[in-house]
Amino acid sequence: VPKSESDNFKINDTFQSELCLCVDASSWSKVHLQFDLRQTFSDYYRNRWFIGRDAPELVSSLRILANGNQIGSQYHPTTYFSDPFMTHNINLNHLAGSQFQLCFQGKHFFNLIADPGTTWGDNSYLDHIIISDFQPNITIEEFSKNNIQVYPNPGSGEFNFR
């Protein structure tokens, strides 16, 4: 098990997985990535190796690479297996007008079958991957990150955004 998050993708290559896509954005002026992600991690680490609250940051990780360079931060679960699917939007405009390789790279130590604990193992589940030249729909989570207010709240019918 790595000693810190920065070591996640430097050791234990056997436990690494990748999903890579070749993207032709040579005629685009903007590039956006949207995907849904759900992650899990085994309770074995906390119960057996006493890693403590940093366990998900060290044993179940996902990162995004464009032409081999990490984009943004690593993604980690917050619960053993109760995290819902969350939609993520990433601006890749710096890659507009080019062809590039986009990879989702994971580091997971126990799958469901090999998990000696009582949970579902270390997993990253991807769904609804969209790479486009327009901004996909923004989720409620994205609204809250940008301090956008919806009113009246609660309400029905027409809503205002501020």
Side-chain angles (χ1 to χ4, degrees):
V1 174
K3 294 191 183 331
S4 69
E5 183 186 57
S6 63
D7 292 334
N8 284 351
F9 291 91
K10 294 178 183 174
I11 61 173
N12 298 321
D13 287 344
T14 305
F15 300 102
Q16 189 166 297
S17 59
E18 277 188 336
L19 166 66
C20 294
L21 309 164
C22 294
V23 180
D24 184 356
S26 56
S27 64
W28 296 356
S29 61
K30 296 179 179 180
V31 180
H32 294 281
L33 168 64
Q34 180 176 303
F35 62 94
D36 294 343
L37 173 64
R38 178 179 185 271
Q39 293 178 283
T40 65
F41 75 103
S42 174
D43 64 354
Y44 181 74
Y45 308 104
R46 189 170 291 170
N47 297 333
R48 172 78 172 172
W49 290 344
F50 308 105
I51 294 176
R53 62 185 178 149
D54 292 333
E57 293 180 8
L58 302 177
V59 299
S60 191
S61 305
L62 181 81
R63 68 179 180 171
I64 298 169
L65 304 172
N67 292 331
N69 299 309
Q70 184 171 320
I71 305 293
S73 301
Q74 294 181 25
Y75 297 90
H76 308 286
T78 56
T79 67
Y80 293 120
F81 54 86
S82 299
D83 288 11
F85 271 99
M86 298 290 292
T87 300
H88 299 274
N89 286 293
I90 300 176
N91 180 323
L92 298 175
N93 286 342
H94 66 284
L95 297 167
S98 69
Q99 295 178 352
F100 60 94
Q101 183 180 53
L102 182 72
C103 294
F104 294 87
Q105 190 176 63
K107 186 65 75 89
H108 307 93
F109 291 97
F110 291 123
N111 63 24
L112 174 62
I113 295 169
D115 185 359
T118 58
T119 54
W120 296 0
D122 308 325
N123 301 284
S124 291
Y125 300 101
L126 292 165
D127 202 2
H128 302 114
I129 300 170
I130 301 171
I131 304 166
S132 65
D133 61 344
F134 61 89
Q135 174 68 43
N137 294 332
I138 296 177
T139 65
I140 297 300
E141 292 82 17
E142 297 299 318
F143 274 121
S144 64
K145 290 179 185 174
N146 291 312
N147 295 322
I148 296 174
Q149 298 174 348
V150 178
Y151 63 95
N153 187 8
S156 63
E158 281 189 23
F159 292 92
N160 297 296
F161 296 92
R162 177 178 19 178

